Amino acid sequence: MNAIEFQAVAHDGVLDIPPEHRRLLDGKKVRVVLVATEASEASGAGGNDTLFTRLRQVRVQGPTDLSANHDAYIVGERDG
């Protein structure tokens, strides 16, 4: 059997098979492969962005002098 491709919206764990394919598939064992159609859903980021592009978007909160005094923060001499 050849592959059949269609788009559907999952709801409560159910995918509706389009009517034109139901008779062909009724009662048959099928293999299902799900692919999110929106890149942001699949990757959690902007699709084709490189790793470095995504890393540049990361924002970290911390004390303003962390880069200058990181050793003191690590050993507990400063508490932020």
Side-chain angles (χ1 to χ4, degrees), residues 26-48:
D26 191 36
K28 296 203 175 153
K29 187 174 180 178
V30 297
R31 180 174 58 147
V32 178
V33 177
L34 301 174
V35 179
T37 58
E38 297 178 18
S40 61
E41 287 181 22
S43 66
N48 294 330

Side-chain angles (χ1 to χ4, degrees), residues 63-76:
T64 57
D65 66 337
L66 180 62
S67 63
N69 298 304
H70 63 285
D71 289 338
Y73 282 102
I74 290 173
V75 296

Side-chain angles (χ1 to χ4, degrees), residues 3-58:
I4 296 172
E5 181 177 332
F6 61 88
Q7 292 188 8
V9 177
H11 51 88
D12 295 325
V14 176
L15 294 172
D16 290 323
I17 297 173
E20 62 269 20
H21 301 301
R22 287 181 188 166
R23 184 176 298 185
L24 177 67
L25 299 172
D26 191 36
K28 296 203 175 153
K29 187 174 180 178
V30 297
R31 180 174 58 147
V32 178
V33 177
L34 301 174
V35 179
T37 58
E38 297 178 18
S40 61
E41 287 181 22
S43 66
N48 294 330
D49 289 344
T50 65
L51 173 62
F52 289 113
T53 300
R54 290 184 305 210
L55 286 173
R56 284 187 205 103
Q57 296 171 357
V58 173

